[in-house]
Amino acid sequence: MALVITDETPPAGYERLVHVEDVESGLDAFICIHSTACGPAAGGCRMWNYASLDDARRDVLRLAEGMTCKNAIADLGLGGGKSVIIGNSRTDKSEALFRAFGRAVDSLGGLYYTAEDVGITPDDMAIVASETPYAVGLNSGAHASGDPSPFTAEGVFQCLRVGAEQVFGSADLTGKRVLVQGLGHVGMALAEKLHAAGAVLIVSDLNQNAVKRAQTDLGAEICSPEEVFSQQMDIFAPCALGGILTAETVARLTAKVVCGAANNQLATPDIAGHLRARGISYLPDYVVNGGGIISVAGEIHRRGENYRRERLAGIAERIRRILALSQSSGKTTTEVASDMVADILAQASSRRVLA
């Protein structure tokens, strides 16, 4: 049976939602394009064992919207999109599956660029790229950017230091208790940077091999996922999946700064107000974790290392500006960031109409 690509009716404000199936390879995926106002949509592909089709659909919609915000505020000339593959990334991968996914991406004719996200490696993306030129984050090629995780981790680390400076009066992390939730590629890279900076590490992950490595190599304390919000900490760095900050978890949170790589950390938008009311400085995730897409954007636009370096340095300054505006206006940091994105998208839409 051939690859089946079905256009679904996207929610208001979205441009396209595609369900992709390939029975032979076992591919079951969604590709979502939220906005192309600033340019072709770009966003990683996540492989996750979703409980249902509806769960996968909800996730790709949230993630695609987040990529619009992330790409716009980082001034990358890219719109927002995302894809998710339903499956276990440890047991369900195959060359046929990624080839089928590549053909699905290619069918969109350049409206969407894909790259690595949770559960996907550069080797996987290389297979996707054998079927389409719209797969990036590759290890080889004239403008290859490789795994975006180190860039994401560096951006988060620099923003975390800005947050510490604002709250504690110094960017020096020596002795600060930092809990890193999630030790995937980004979380582990961030933990290594924090350890080198003198922070006291607490880590949590379901992957016991990763936890043991952090304990052995980085001297990290370990807590179970259920104990995360009962820990004493100065800084919380969520680097796993989203939706972990709820009214209940925020009420228990002891950290004074939240800065992590996870997407969609707030379960609902009003949680930003809960954090502010408790005196917790929240650094908006789609600003903080933009390092990975900056790296990928360099590949898409065929630019050199300077392009990545300059834009990566801009992440921390952007967070500094957001924190200052939040303090002076009384708005939450998410409201300030959302206002910035809205202005950027409005200007981009106007230019597109006039063109």
Side-chain angles (χ1 to χ4, degrees):
M1 184 179 175
L3 186 71
V4 177
I5 300 174
T6 306
D7 268 288
E8 297 190 358
T9 303
Y14 287 74
E15 294 184 14
R16 197 162 179 190
L17 177 62
V18 174
H19 183 219
V20 182
E21 294 176 282
D22 182 69
V23 173
E24 276 189 32
S25 68
L27 177 68
D28 193 359
F30 283 103
I31 302 173
C32 178
I33 297 174
H34 177 258
S35 172
T36 56
C38 293
C45 174
R46 171 172 295 188
M47 188 169 187
W48 191 256
N49 206 12
Y50 294 98
S52 69
L53 206 61
D54 285 342
D55 284 350
R57 186 185 291 108
R58 272 192 296 271
D59 203 29
V60 80
L61 289 168
R62 283 188 317 141
L63 292 166
E65 183 178 13
M67 289 308 303
T68 294
C69 298
K70 185 183 301 189
N71 294 342
I73 207 163
D75 190 26
L76 298 179
L78 295 170
K82 203 77 175 183
S83 52
V84 299
I85 295 174
I86 301 170
N88 187 320
S89 63
R90 293 177 184 164
T91 59
D92 295 341
K93 289 183 179 182
S94 69
E95 180 177 345
L97 182 142
F98 287 118
R99 281 186 175 278
F101 177 69
R103 293 195 296 275
V105 170
D106 199 63
S107 74
L108 299 175
L111 287 175
Y112 168 67
Y113 283 83
T114 190
E116 299 91 341
D117 195 61
V118 175
I120 301 293
T121 69
D123 288 342
D124 300 329
M125 202 48 55
I127 299 171
V128 177
S130 69
E131 297 287 344
T132 180
Y134 307 115
V136 287
L138 305 176
N139 279 332
S140 60
H143 298 277
S145 60
D147 183 2
S149 300
F151 290 88
T152 304
E154 178 62 22
V156 174
F157 177 68
Q158 294 300 334
C159 290
L160 193 147
R161 294 180 75 247
V162 171
E165 184 178 12
Q166 188 220 36
V167 172
F168 305 117
S170 171
D172 185 1
L173 298 173
T174 304
K176 291 288 182 289
R177 292 179 62 82
V178 185
L179 194 153
V180 179
Q181 182 190 41
L183 292 172
H185 293 299
V186 176
M188 187 63 80
L190 177 62
E192 289 168 351
K193 292 176 184 294
L194 291 166
H195 173 68
V200 177
L201 275 176
I202 315 158
V203 299
S204 180
D205 197 294
L206 292 172
N207 183 339
Q208 291 306 301
N209 289 332
V211 167
K212 287 174 183 174
R213 178 186 157 196
Q215 184 182 42
T216 302
D217 296 350
L218 309 177
E221 299 175 22
I222 299 171
C223 76
S224 69
E226 297 78 23
E227 297 173 329
V228 165
F229 293 99
S230 62
Q231 298 296 307
Q232 287 297 316
M233 65 188 100
D234 298 304
I235 299 169
F236 178 44
C239 297
L241 295 183
I244 41 82
L245 292 170
T246 65
E248 189 271 331
T249 57
V250 168
R252 297 166 57 202
L253 189 63
T254 60
K256 289 300 179 185
V257 178
V258 175
C259 176
N263 289 307
N264 302 313
Q265 294 167 21
L266 307 183
T268 53
D270 64 299
I271 299 302
H274 290 244
L275 287 160
R276 184 179 177 86
R278 291 209 57 226
I280 300 170
S281 185
Y282 174 69
L283 281 53
D285 49 45
Y286 63 80
V287 183
V288 164
N289 64 16
I293 194 63
I294 286 171
S295 174
V296 165
E299 190 172 346
I300 293 171
H301 295 314
R302 300 181 180 278
R303 303 292 293 274
E305 192 61 32
N306 284 342
Y307 174 94
R308 297 185 180 97
R309 215 178 291 119
E310 289 168 5
R311 279 158 179 76
L312 190 61
I315 294 176
E317 287 310 308
R318 202 168 290 117
I319 278 293
R320 196 183 301 278
R321 189 163 75 250
I322 288 169
L323 289 170
L325 286 170
S326 173
Q327 198 165 30
S328 64
S329 68
K331 292 183 175 181
T332 66
T333 52
T334 55
E335 288 171 327
V336 171
S338 293
D339 288 346
M340 288 179 172
V341 170
D343 287 344
I344 293 166
L345 293 178
Q347 292 173 28
S349 296
S350 296
R351 287 194 296 270
R352 189 158 66 168
V353 169
L354 293 171

